[in-house]
């Protein structure tokens, strides 16, 4: 009797205990398992681990040789099981498995669907890279506190975890938010290694499919009612640093405000890289700013539908870039003689208004972050917000932010409104016959230091904001190497237009400065014009040029220069500029119209070549001048 052992076997049907001896073979053990669970001899597999590793095969080895001891837990998986039952939870049976005859007393564990769907989720390259890094914070041996040899470790020199709060607080400057991957390491650490971790997205909507009562507003129950939300300051952030590659990007964006006094908005295009100053951190590098159609005044911005949005995304993707955030100005001139601006956003007013938080939440919901640990396949967002505003020194400063995942959920489910007269306060909507809104609370301290819970009507938006450091590098980086400036899109209010007149002027300046062809075309706004212009769009034939700019290869650029498309562009520029075909030695003052009425002339509106002596275009009937 002393050699008898009891082994537990976990299956979708439940757990059963099987009594056997140490000298019993694996084949005899599997026969007992089949008899106990009423399976055929080949209708199941038994594993040592939950993740289907260490399969026990039908062989003559004894259980002692297989290192199976008294009290061990083994895992049985039926060979005919559907994909949803590949991973089981000892505490919560899988209600969506292919075994409907087994009742379940609780909802299925979110880690089950997550573990199955993980291979199907394509995470960003930076997330895949950081998930493979160790992330430990190594420390040198302390000569005063360490009493061991050079190969030993103690509490004073042992490597720290990337989520160590004491280490983050003692950095200069202190880091209030750990990185998202450090937060994941914190969840997946410990004895269970994160087997039951699931990053759940908050939902503020009534769950569908509840048939025990009439739909809202006639009825609601605890099964379909969304839980109340208590706002907390988020302890992690998805992006830890925002860096503009060079000052030229920001200066060109600010030029619109300098010349008009109106506010401006743009989308940030760049890439995500590793931020080495913070353990497992992510940096958003900005390479270009695209300014969509908009109407701006001194104190407002209105976005207009952009017909070129898809083309911009396609060009950016071929250049190895993606939309990483948005930027807007909030600048008021204080003294135009010395170029100072007002310091309006501070702790006594606000950093982001409620309306800006809602807009940021809307953009972050549009650019969700793919995540393998979430049952929905996405969690949070790496989309950032940058504000160009006055700083304490009355100079223009760039401040970076994100809004929390709780704010994203409130915005997505249309539960949050701005206050009309107080920009720093939001307002949680109240339930109506059209929509049920869960209660939203936040905690604050009273004058005695006690935590008091308040209803979020109104709501201080500081509970929703995460600040991000925005920097410029000491050594500028240039993804687009052109030193001259092609006009930026959608700036007609400034008199800056993208047409073949401006292209002819730009090319004449570039050739007079002896720039290489790659440097000439290495301008984000020029490439957009070549693809989206209405006269001769090059969307289907510009791939080689985009590859040349992406890889900084002059040979590829020269190869594309010899193409028929570029020859046509040269012809159009020379025609508009009144120069002989093939010549790009334009005057620095820009192209001029042919004055002789005895020569063939090109229409300014449709570029049709008209015969001499005519004052109206034969194609579009518009006047010559």
């Amino acid at each position: 009797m002393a050699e008898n052992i009891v082994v537990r076997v976990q299956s979708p049907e439940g757990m059963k205990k099987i009594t056997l001896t140490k000298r019993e073979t694996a084949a005899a053990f599997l026969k007992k398992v089949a008899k106990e669970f009423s399976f055929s001899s080949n209708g199941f597999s038994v594993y040592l681990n939950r993740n289907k590793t260490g399969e026990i095969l039908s062989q003559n080895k004894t259980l002692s040789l297989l290192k199976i001891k008294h009290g061990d837990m083994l895992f049985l998986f039926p060979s005919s099981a559907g994909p949803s039952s590949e991973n089981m939870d000892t505490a919560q049976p899988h209600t969506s498995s292919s075994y409907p005859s087994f009742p379940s007393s609780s909802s299925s564990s979110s880690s089950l669907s997550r573990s199955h769907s993980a291979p199907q989720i394509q995470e960003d390259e930076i997330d895949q890279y950081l998930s493979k890094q160790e992330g430990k914070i190594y420390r040198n041996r302390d000569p005063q506190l360490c009493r061991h040899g050079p190969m030993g470790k103690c509490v004073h020199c042992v490597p720290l975890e990337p989520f160590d709060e004491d280490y983050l607080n003692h950095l200069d400057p202190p880091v209030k938010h750990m990185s998202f991957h450090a937060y994941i390491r914190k969840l997946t650490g410990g004895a269970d290694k994160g087997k039951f971790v699931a990053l759940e997205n908050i939902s503020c909507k009534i769950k569908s499919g509840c048939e025990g009562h009439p739909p809202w507003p006639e009825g609601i129950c605890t099964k379909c009612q969304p839980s109340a939300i208590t706002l907390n300051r988020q302890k992690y952030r998805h992006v830890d640093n925002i860096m503009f590659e060079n000052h030229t990007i920001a200066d060109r964006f600010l030029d619109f405000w300098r010349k008009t006094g109106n506010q401006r908005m743009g989308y940030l295009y760049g890439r995500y890289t590793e931020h080495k100053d913070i353990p497992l951190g992510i940096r958003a590098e900005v390479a270009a700013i695209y300014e969509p159609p908009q109407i701006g005044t001194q104190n407002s911005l209105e976005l207009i539908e952009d017909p070129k949005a898809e083309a911009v995304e396609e060009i950016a993707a071929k250049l190895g870039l993606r939309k990483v955030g948005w930027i807007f100005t909030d600048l008021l001139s204080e003294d135009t003689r010395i170029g100072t601006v007002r310091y309006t956003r501070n702790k006594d007013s606000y950093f982001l208004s409620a309306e800006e938080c809602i807009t940021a939440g809307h953009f972050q919901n549009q650019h969700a972050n793919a995540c393998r640990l979430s049952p929905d396949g996405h969690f949070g967002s790496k989309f950032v917000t940058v504000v160009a505003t006055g700083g304490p020194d009355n100079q223009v400063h760039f401040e970076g932010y994100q809004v929390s995942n709780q704010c994203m959920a409130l915005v997505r489910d249309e539960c949050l409104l701005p206050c009309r007269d107080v920009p720093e306060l939001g307002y949680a909507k109240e339930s109506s016959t059209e929509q049920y809104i869960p209660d939203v609370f936040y905690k604050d301290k009273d004058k005695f230091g006690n935590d008091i819970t308040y209803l979020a009507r109104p709501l201080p938006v500081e509970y929703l904001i995460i600040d991000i450091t925005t920097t410029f590098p000491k050594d500028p980086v240039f993804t687009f190497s052109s030193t001259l400036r092609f006009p930026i899109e959608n700036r007609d209010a400034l008199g800056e237009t993208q047409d073949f007149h401006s292209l002819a002027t730009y090319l004449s300046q570039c050739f007079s400065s002896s720039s290489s062809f790659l440097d000439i075309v290495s301008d984000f706004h020029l490439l957009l014009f070549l693809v989206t212009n209405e006269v001769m769009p090059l969307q289907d034939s510009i791939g080689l040029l985009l590859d040349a700019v992406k890889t900084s290869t002059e040979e590829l650029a020269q190869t594309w220069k010899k193409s028929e498309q570029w020859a046509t562009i040269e012809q159009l520029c020379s025609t508009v500029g009144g120069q002989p075909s093939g010549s790009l030695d334009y005057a620095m003052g820009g192209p001029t119209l042919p004055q002789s009425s005895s020569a063939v002339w090109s229409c300014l509106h449709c570029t049709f070549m008209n015969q001499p002596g005519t004052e109206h275009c034969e194609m579009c009937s518009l006047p010559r001048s």
Side-chain angles (χ1 to χ4, degrees):
M1 291 296 295
E3 294 185 355
N4 286 350
I5 61 174
V6 176
V7 175
R8 299 171 295 165
V9 179
Q10 175 71 45
S11 78
E13 187 177 355
M15 185 186 71
K16 295 188 178 182
K17 298 179 181 179
I18 299 178
T19 304
L20 34 91
T21 63
K22 291 184 179 179
R23 297 180 180 178
E24 200 157 353
T25 62
F29 165 67
L30 292 177
K31 288 182 179 179
K32 286 188 176 182
V33 173
K35 182 179 180 181
E36 189 72 25
F37 285 91
S38 301
F39 278 113
S40 60
S41 58
N42 58 353
F44 66 95
S45 299
V46 179
Y47 299 90
L48 295 174
N49 303 310
R50 190 188 301 273
N51 59 358
K52 287 190 174 183
T53 58
E55 182 178 2
I56 301 175
L57 302 176
S58 181
Q59 52 188 349
N60 292 327
K61 287 186 178 180
T62 62
L63 298 180
S64 58
L65 291 177
L66 296 176
K67 298 183 180 180
I68 297 177
K69 304 181 294 298
H70 176 71
D72 282 355
M73 171 79 80
L74 305 179
F75 303 94
L76 183 148
F77 292 88
S79 58
S80 58
S84 61
S85 62
E86 288 183 359
N87 298 282
M88 284 158 287
D89 193 323
T90 57
Q92 297 182 348
H94 200 332
T95 59
S96 61
S97 69
S98 57
Y99 300 94
S101 59
F102 305 139
S104 173
S105 59
S106 62
S107 60
S108 62
S109 172
S110 57
S111 62
L112 309 182
S113 58
R114 181 197 78 236
S115 59
H116 170 65
S117 60
Q120 302 176 0
I121 299 173
Q122 183 65 32
E123 292 186 322
D124 293 341
E125 292 183 4
I126 182 63
D127 293 321
Q128 297 179 28
Y129 171 78
L130 292 177
S131 64
K132 299 175 184 177
Q133 303 304 306
E134 184 181 16
K136 295 280 189 178
I137 304 168
Y138 287 93
R139 300 184 291 176
N140 296 325
R141 182 176 179 272
D142 193 313
Q144 296 181 348
L145 300 176
C146 296
R147 304 298 183 188
H148 51 76
M151 302 302 293
K153 292 289 183 183
C154 67
V155 294
H156 303 292
C157 61
V158 68
L160 301 175
E161 295 292 343
F163 49 82
D164 189 277
E165 293 186 5
D166 290 336
Y167 172 81
L168 296 177
N169 290 331
H170 284 83
L171 290 177
D172 186 22
V175 177
K176 295 185 294 183
H177 307 277
M178 70 180 77
S179 66
F180 178 61
H181 281 271
Y183 176 70
I184 291 179
R185 297 295 172 89
K186 185 176 183 179
L187 294 180
T188 56
D192 62 354
K193 299 299 181 182
K195 290 181 180 179
F196 308 105
V197 172
L199 299 176
E200 297 280 356
N201 289 297
I202 301 172
S203 177
C204 304
K205 292 184 177 180
I206 296 176
K207 297 179 182 178
S208 59
C210 193
E211 301 177 354
H213 54 80
W216 175 264
E218 282 75 19
I220 194 171
C221 67
T222 56
K223 293 182 180 179
C224 61
Q225 180 182 7
S227 301
I229 299 175
T230 300
L231 298 176
N232 299 305
R233 290 182 173 89
Q234 194 164 289
K235 296 182 179 180
Y236 60 90
R237 56 189 177 189
H238 292 270
V239 175
D240 304 280
N241 180 260
I242 305 168
M243 186 185 76
F244 289 85
E245 287 188 345
N246 51 76
H247 287 275
T248 305
I249 300 172
D251 287 339
R252 294 196 65 185
F253 176 72
L254 293 177
D255 278 344
F256 186 90
W257 173 80
R258 293 189 181 110
K259 295 177 180 179
T260 65
N262 294 335
Q263 309 304 333
R264 195 66 173 167
M265 175 266 183
Y267 291 118
L268 306 175
Y269 281 87
R271 58 188 69 86
Y272 295 111
T273 59
E274 182 183 9
H275 182 48
K276 297 183 179 180
D277 294 343
I278 295 177
L280 300 177
I282 294 178
R283 165 182 285 162
E285 293 186 2
V286 180
I289 299 177
Y290 168 71
E291 300 177 14
Q294 57 194 283
I295 300 174
T297 66
Q298 292 185 358
N299 53 15
S300 67
L301 275 172
E302 179 185 354
L303 290 182
I304 305 173
E305 184 178 356
D306 187 5
K308 301 178 181 179
E310 293 184 4
V312 176
E313 291 292 326
E314 183 178 350
I315 295 170
K318 291 181 179 179
L319 290 169
L321 306 176
R322 59 184 295 183
K323 193 185 291 184
V324 299
W326 69 302
I327 182 173
F328 65 93
T329 61
D330 182 21
L331 295 167
L332 293 173
S333 180
E334 185 176 57
D335 191 337
T336 56
R337 294 173 299 175
I338 57 177
T340 56
V341 293
R342 294 182 186 177
Y343 179 39
T344 57
R345 293 177 181 248
N346 49 58
K347 62 179 182 179
D348 297 324
S349 56
Y350 60 91
F351 297 101
L352 278 184
S353 68
E355 191 170 6
E356 293 160 358
C357 288
I358 293 172
T359 306
H362 172 71
F363 284 140
Q364 289 182 206
N365 282 315
Q366 287 183 334
H367 302 84
N369 179 52
C371 181
R372 57 185 171 82
L373 294 178
S374 173
D376 301 323
H378 60 85
F379 185 77
S381 174
K382 290 196 283 283
F383 199 84
V384 299
T385 299
V386 179
V387 187
T389 185
D393 55 356
N394 297 112
Q395 299 298 320
V396 177
H397 285 229
F398 293 88
E399 307 293 342
Y401 301 98
Q402 277 192 309
V403 294
S404 65
N405 294 359
Q406 290 180 325
C407 179
M408 289 175 59
L410 294 174
V411 173
R412 182 191 64 240
D413 296 332
E414 300 179 355
C415 300
L416 187 62
L417 295 173
C419 288
R420 182 175 181 179
D421 300 324
V422 190
E424 66 270 20
L425 295 179
Y427 193 88
K429 290 171 61 176
E430 299 182 26
S431 298
S432 63
T433 56
E434 291 79 16
Q435 182 185 10
Y436 175 82
I437 305 295
D439 290 331
V440 181
F441 302 96
Y442 68 94
K443 290 185 178 181
D444 202 356
K445 293 184 180 294
D446 60 9
K447 61 181 180 180
F448 303 107
N450 301 318
D451 287 332
I452 306 297
T453 301
Y454 297 96
L455 188 63
R457 300 186 184 117
L459 161 69
V461 295
E462 63 218 34
Y463 284 85
L464 311 175
I465 298 175
I466 302 166
D467 63 306
I468 305 174
T469 306
T470 305
T471 58
F472 291 86
K474 293 182 179 179
D475 300 320
V477 180
F478 293 89
T479 298
F480 302 100
S481 57
S482 176
T483 56
L484 298 175
R485 298 184 176 186
F486 186 75
I488 296 177
E489 59 283 337
N490 301 312
R491 285 194 173 184
D492 297 342
L494 280 179
E496 299 180 7
T497 57
Q498 288 188 342
D499 53 23
F500 281 93
H501 284 276
S502 56
L503 177 59
T505 305
Y506 173 78
L507 293 176
S508 67
Q509 295 173 352
C510 291
F511 279 98
S512 63
S513 63
S514 302
S515 300
S516 66
F517 183 72
L518 179 62
D519 290 337
I520 293 173
V521 297
S522 185
D523 185 286
F524 184 70
H525 309 287
L526 171 62
L527 295 173
L528 288 182
F529 170 72
L530 293 177
V531 172
T532 60
N533 73 87
E534 297 179 355
V535 178
M536 187 182 174
L538 303 179
Q539 191 163 3
D540 299 329
S541 56
I542 203 173
L544 183 62
L545 180 61
L546 296 179
D547 290 339
V549 175
K550 178 181 178 181
T551 59
S552 299
T553 307
E554 178 69 31
E555 291 76 11
L556 290 178
Q558 291 293 338
T559 303
W560 189 84
K561 182 181 178 182
K562 299 174 184 177
S563 65
E564 180 181 347
Q565 291 78 14
W566 181 248
T568 306
I569 294 292
E570 287 183 323
Q571 178 66 33
L572 289 170
C573 290
S574 62
T575 302
V576 171
Q579 300 292 334
S581 176
S583 174
L584 286 174
D585 189 16
Y586 307 112
M588 290 299 291
T592 59
L593 293 174
Q595 298 298 323
S596 175
S597 61
S598 62
V600 176
W601 59 278
S602 172
C603 177
L604 298 178
H605 309 284
C606 68
T607 70
F608 181 76
M609 302 302 295
N610 293 275
Q611 295 299 319
T614 57
E615 296 299 329
H616 289 78
C617 177
E618 298 176 10
M619 179 61 67
C620 64
S621 301
L622 293 174
R624 177 176 180 177
S625 58

